[in-house]
């Protein structure tokens, strides 16, 4: 593995502007992403312990893959500089692009890379992943992973990581801002004044103190939002498919209908699943209070947009804020029109409707924290094989090997979850002492990691080849 990083980004790709600002190479602030998920801009990042909080008493041994000398990384969609730097510091070959790629270009690019980092616009379908013969891991530098075919990735031995919590605060703050903006019709007043029209009114404008916020989905974003809303004098009710303890004085209701009937503001924070598609449609708008408000900062398919347009035009709802849409442009530009979604022009014509371009997590703090979290996940997987945090693989980790184990080898065997595999693997390892071993399964895929000692370099090839020849094999990695 090379001792220093070689950045092979094209000159016009903006490799020196990972944060969208030319010439910015040094972050002015570091972002904490400790185990408590703090996002303080003044504290440094503390990565999770390598295994069960064990202290390292000797220097960690830097492992290298038997069958790959150079790790090639492709980062798309302007992944934050923090994540990029983490991988460059490891000596990986990092190619950085500010945008996503069309399918044909991505297929060509992905053929030779071992690591790919994406955000929400890049679609890693089974067809694309099928061409990625060397790919071992995907990093989603965002909350969601629905842009990746997780099942196919697992079946091909490709681990997928994301950052489910790092931008929770940013999204919650945006929702608070939108609640106030909708209650005071700030968007309309701002647009009018930009056009030169002075329109000072109080009719239909409200304080949010004393109003009820209904949160659909009480996860990391919903619970943070709950605390912030109560601090501003709102009452909070929430609906979730599992029983959850409320923060502060918030209380869980038994059904979505009960929430819709009892809330002045309804905000959605749920994943994209078949159950949540069009979760808020014509029937649900009828159940909402007259003159209430809807906010969606979760996934674009959660709200039936034509039904929203109708509810706004009839006055059933007094306003709405959308940050996500069923179809979103692949890049910045004048693309949000009826060619993308047939109802776009009608949506844009509505009063007191705030439309933002999927910026819920687009803050410096959130993107820096995501870069650190996912970047470290990727490095630990490449260097050590640890799958803690993977969304499509069993979570397996062993303590790091140390310099006291100079002839130690780490075997990683991803295989189909069928009987008899462990016996066959251990027969191959039988000539060596197995210092530590862990295996786990998830559905049809199982993940085995073992550290063996007293292995001569000349024996590694035979060891690797023997594991590759097993009928259960999905992917073999040997680190030494």
């Amino acid at each position: 593995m090379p001792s220093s990083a070689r950045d092979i980004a094209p000159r016009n790709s903006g490799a020196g502007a990972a944060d969208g600002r030319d010439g910015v190479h040094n972050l002015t602030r570091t972002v904490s992403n400790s185990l408590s998920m703090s996002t303080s801009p003044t504290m440094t990042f503390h990565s999770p312990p390598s295994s069960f909080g064990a202290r390292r008493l000797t220097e960690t041994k830097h492992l290298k893959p038997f069958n790959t000398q150079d790790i090639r990384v492709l980062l798309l969609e302007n992944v934050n500089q923090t994540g990029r730097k983490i991988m460059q510091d490891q000596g990986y070959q990092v190619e950085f692009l500010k945008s996503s790629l069309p399918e044909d270009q991505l297929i060509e690019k992905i053929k030779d890379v071992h690591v790919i980092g994406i955000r929400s616009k890049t679609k890693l379908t089974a067809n694309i992943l099928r061409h990625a013969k060397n790919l071992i891991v995907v990093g989603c530098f965002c909350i969601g992973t629905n842009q990746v075919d997780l099942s196919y990735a697992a079946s091909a031995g490709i681990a997928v990581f994301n950052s489910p919590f790092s931008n929770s605060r940013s999204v919650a703050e945006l929702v608070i801002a939108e609640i106030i903006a909708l209650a005071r019709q700030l968007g309309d007043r701002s647009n009018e004044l930009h056009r030169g029209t002075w329109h000072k009114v109080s009719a239909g404008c409200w304080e949010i103190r004393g109003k009820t916020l209904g949160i659909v989905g009480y996860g990391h974003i919903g619970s943070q939002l709950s605390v912030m809303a109560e601090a501003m004098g709102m009452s909070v009710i929430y609906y979730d498919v599992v029983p959850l303890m409320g923060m502060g004085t918030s209380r869980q209701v038994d059904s979505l209908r009960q929430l819709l009937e009892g809330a002045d503001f309804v905000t959605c924070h749920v994943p994209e699943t078949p159950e949540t598609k069009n979760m808020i449609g014509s029937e649900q708008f009828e159940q909402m209070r007259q003159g209430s408000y809807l906010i969606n900062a979760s996934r674009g398919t959660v709200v039936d947009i034509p039904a929203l347009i109708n509810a706004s035009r009839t006055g059933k709802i007094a306003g709405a804020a959308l940050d996500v849409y069923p179809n979103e442009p692949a890049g910045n530009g004048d693309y949000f029109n009826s060619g993308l979604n047939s109802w776009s022009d009608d949506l844009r014509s509505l009063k007191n409707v705030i439309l933002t371009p999927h910026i819920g997590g687009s803050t410096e703090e959130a993107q820096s924290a995501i870069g650190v979290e996912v970047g470290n996940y990727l490095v630990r997987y490449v260097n050590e094989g640890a799958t803690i945090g993977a969304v499509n693989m069993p979570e397996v980790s062993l303590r790091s090997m140390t310099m006291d184990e100079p002839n130690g080898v780490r075997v990683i065997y991803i295989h189909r979850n069928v009987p008899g595999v462990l016996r066959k693997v251990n027969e191959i390892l039988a000539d060596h002492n197995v210092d530590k071993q862990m295996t786990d399964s998830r559905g049809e895929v199982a993940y085995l990691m073992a550290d063996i000692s007293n292995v001569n370099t000349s024996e590694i090839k035979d060891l690797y080849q023997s594991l590759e020849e097993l009928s259960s094999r999905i992917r073999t990695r040997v680190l030494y």
Side-chain angles (χ1 to χ4, degrees), residues 285-286 290 307-318 350:
F285 282 114
E286 284 301 313
Q290 186 72 27
L308 167 65
I309 293 170
N310 182 64
S312 179
R313 286 175 171 170
T314 62
K316 178 65 178 183
I317 64 170
L350 299 176

Side-chain angles (χ1 to χ4, degrees), residues 182 188 308 312 317-322 347 350-355:
L182 290 173
D188 289 356
L308 167 65
S312 179
I317 64 170
L322 302 178
L347 182 65
L350 299 176
K351 291 185 177 181
N352 204 25
V353 171
I354 300 171
L355 304 177

Side-chain angles (χ1 to χ4, degrees), residues 170-187 206 208 213 225 228 232 234 265-269 293-298 318-325 352-360:
S170 296
V171 177
E173 288 188 3
L174 177 67
V175 173
I176 287 291
E178 290 174 334
I179 290 171
I180 296 173
L182 290 173
R184 298 295 298 274
Q185 301 179 15
L186 296 184
W206 313 94
I208 67 169
L213 173 64
L225 176 61
M228 297 166 68
M232 302 186 75
M234 301 187 78
F265 295 84
V266 175
T267 179
C268 300
H269 303 283
Y293 305 84
L294 176 72
I295 299 168
N296 184 23
S298 57
L322 302 178
D323 189 47
V324 288
Y325 312 89
N352 204 25
V353 171
I354 300 171
L355 304 177
T356 51
H358 204 151
I359 58 170

Side-chain angles (χ1 to χ4, degrees), residues 393-411:
M393 288 275 184
E395 293 192 285
V396 176
S397 180
L398 294 177
R399 69 177 184 273
S400 299
M401 300 182 74
T402 69
M403 296 306 294
D404 292 341
E405 305 166 280
N407 293 320
V409 168
R410 175 160 291 180
V411 174

Side-chain angles (χ1 to χ4, degrees), residues 142-290:
C142 52
I143 289 181
T145 56
N146 57 299
Q147 69 274 40
V148 181
D149 189 324
L150 298 178
S151 177
Y152 182 87
S155 70
I158 302 169
V160 180
F161 294 88
N162 69 332
S163 181
F165 314 130
S166 291
N167 67 2
S168 300
R169 181 69 179 194
S170 296
V171 177
E173 288 188 3
L174 177 67
V175 173
I176 287 291
E178 290 174 334
I179 290 171
I180 296 173
L182 290 173
R184 298 295 298 274
Q185 301 179 15
L186 296 184
D188 289 356
R189 298 297 87 77
S190 177
N191 288 335
E192 290 162 358
L193 207 52
H194 273 283
R195 296 193 299 266
T197 301
W198 186 273
H199 186 203
K200 182 178 179 180
V201 294
S202 59
C205 297
W206 313 94
E207 293 181 358
I208 67 169
R209 179 182 56 172
K211 307 303 186 295
T212 299
L213 173 64
I215 302 174
V216 184
Y218 203 71
H220 290 270
I221 295 171
S223 56
Q224 283 208 39
L225 176 61
S226 173
V227 174
M228 297 166 68
E230 281 199 352
M232 302 186 75
M234 301 187 78
S235 298
V236 177
I237 57 176
Y238 62 93
Y239 169 70
D240 202 291
V241 293
V242 296
L244 294 168
M245 180 177 290
M247 307 293 287
T249 61
S250 63
R251 59 183 179 88
Q252 187 165 8
V253 296
D254 296 329
S255 66
L256 177 60
R257 178 173 189 140
Q258 188 176 348
L259 180 138
L260 297 175
E261 292 176 346
D264 300 300
F265 295 84
V266 175
T267 179
C268 300
H269 303 283
V270 295
E272 183 178 60
T273 66
E275 292 75 25
T276 63
K277 184 174 182 181
N278 291 334
M279 187 179 193
I280 307 295
S282 299
E283 180 181 351
Q284 287 70 38
F285 282 114
E286 284 301 313
Q287 295 167 2
M288 292 176 65
R289 288 181 174 180
Q290 186 72 27

